[in-house]
Amino acid sequence: MKEDQRAEGCNWTASGRSLQFCTDACFRRYLEARNWNVDKAKKMLEETLKWRSTYKPEEICWREVANEGETGKVYRASFRDRSGRTVLILRPGMQNTVSIDNQMRHLVYLIENAVFNLPEGQEQMAWLIDFTGWTLSVAFLYNPPRIFEAFWKIVKYFLDNKTFHKVKFVYPKNKDSVELMKQYFDEKNLPTEFGGHAILNYDHEEFSKLMTQDDVRSAAFWGHDDKLPHYGNGHSGAEVAPEPVCLAPVAS
């Protein structure tokens, strides 16, 4: 009843794609993200809608960003975590381009795709970030490279404040870190790079086929063609808060 009362008091109006985005589940997530503070939730949602109306993440298709993904620096994993969450694998050390705008467009596309593929009833995704191969000569806290600045400018539209406290820094030779990974992931599915037993084998051609198929589904959902199939997972785009799990080598 609390949710109905507060949602009713917001007097939000939407049309077109914003209406598709603003489902009851969406309102609930924004209210929960701001501890049921209606004004703060409304402001957060309005900022998201403003950004989406300008950036139009739902219109990005794989062919526009495919070259960014040739090395597998970011991609949706073929497995889920123990809670059934979609998993995004990020490997900054595999960076292959120089355009920050294109890199961010690629990242936004994959976050949108990950949300689109969440199973019914699931409202989170997991990120596995492997910093192996990334230079440690930069002082990340005091002088982060521009790519990290741009990354967080985009990420803020997907994360709420509570999510930042869910970030886990994991080190390969640390016993507690290894146990932490076991809590979240089945070792049989987890790549060896992340402490598991599976062989990480990114096939750009096969992944491109998968993304192209998803583009057709996404276009149908957002009304880019004449068919609008029903998807029952209750998610309408990139606004679900991920639960990141970061893997980093021990700094020497």
Side-chain angles (χ1 to χ4, degrees):
M1 184 171 67
K2 179 171 67 171
E3 175 188 337
D4 294 339
Q5 291 173 341
R6 297 200 177 214
E8 182 179 354
C10 290
N11 293 321
W12 281 319
T13 58
S15 61
R17 293 179 189 172
S18 292
L19 184 61
Q20 287 180 269
F21 185 81
C22 293
T23 61
D24 289 343
C26 171
F27 287 141
R28 183 179 65 252
R29 285 190 287 270
Y30 275 82
L31 287 166
E32 290 177 347
R34 289 297 177 260
N35 295 314
W36 295 92
N37 183 304
V38 175
D39 291 335
K40 290 183 179 180
K42 181 175 181 290
K43 180 180 179 182
M44 181 184 181
L45 178 56
E46 288 175 342
E47 289 176 349
T48 299
L49 293 176
K50 181 179 180 180
W51 173 77
R52 291 186 68 89
S53 67
T54 302
Y55 204 90
K56 301 184 185 302
E58 74 280 359
E59 292 187 5
I60 304 174
C61 59
W62 178 248
R63 68 172 180 271
E64 299 173 7
V65 297
N67 67 304
E68 291 287 338
E70 290 178 354
T71 61
K73 62 188 177 187
V74 186
Y75 67 97
R76 195 183 89 223
S78 59
F79 61 90
R80 301 182 187 274
D81 71 1
R82 293 189 185 276
S83 298
R85 290 180 284 236
T86 303
V87 177
L88 275 186
I89 293 180
L90 297 88
R91 301 183 291 174
M94 304 294 289
Q95 183 58 261
N96 62 320
T97 61
V98 296
S99 171
I100 292 178
D101 289 341
N102 290 341
Q103 291 165 9
M104 291 303 104
R105 193 168 176 81
H106 174 239
L107 176 62
V108 168
Y109 170 87
L110 288 171
I111 294 178
E112 187 86 354
N113 178 267
V115 173
F116 192 71
N117 281 279
L118 286 172
E120 183 176 358
Q122 180 54 258
E123 298 185 359
Q124 294 180 322
M125 71 179 81
W127 294 354
L128 282 170
I129 309 177
D130 182 3
F131 286 100
T132 301
W134 187 264
T135 177
L136 295 177
S137 62
V138 177
F140 289 104
L141 293 178
Y142 300 101
N143 185 29
R146 289 185 61 221
I147 180 62
F148 273 80
E149 287 186 46
F151 174 84
W152 285 112
K153 286 180 181 179
I154 294 297
V155 166
K156 73 177 183 180
Y157 291 104
F158 302 98
L159 302 181
D160 57 74
N161 289 334
K162 294 187 294 185
T163 301
F164 284 100
H165 298 290
K166 298 178 181 179
V167 175
K168 310 293 191 300
F169 288 91
V170 182
Y171 301 94
K173 296 181 181 180
N174 182 283
K175 182 179 179 180
D176 291 337
S177 292
V178 173
E179 291 302 317
L180 179 66
M181 294 298 284
K182 290 181 180 179
Q183 293 177 22
Y184 283 89
F185 300 95
D186 188 330
E187 291 179 279
K188 294 184 298 183
N189 298 326
L190 196 65
T192 55
E193 288 85 348
F194 295 96
H197 304 310
I199 302 300
L200 194 157
N201 182 23
Y202 174 77
D203 187 318
H204 184 62
E205 183 176 348
E206 290 301 315
F207 189 74
S208 294
K209 291 179 182 178
L210 179 63
M211 293 299 98
T212 300
Q213 292 172 2
D214 280 355
D215 282 350
V216 174
R217 295 173 54 233
S218 177
F221 177 83
W222 290 108
H224 294 177
D225 59 17
D226 295 333
K227 292 185 178 181
L228 188 63
H230 173 72
Y231 298 102
N233 69 356
H235 301 294
S236 51
E239 49 86 9
V240 178
E243 181 162 339
V245 179
C246 301
L247 181 72
V250 179
S252 57

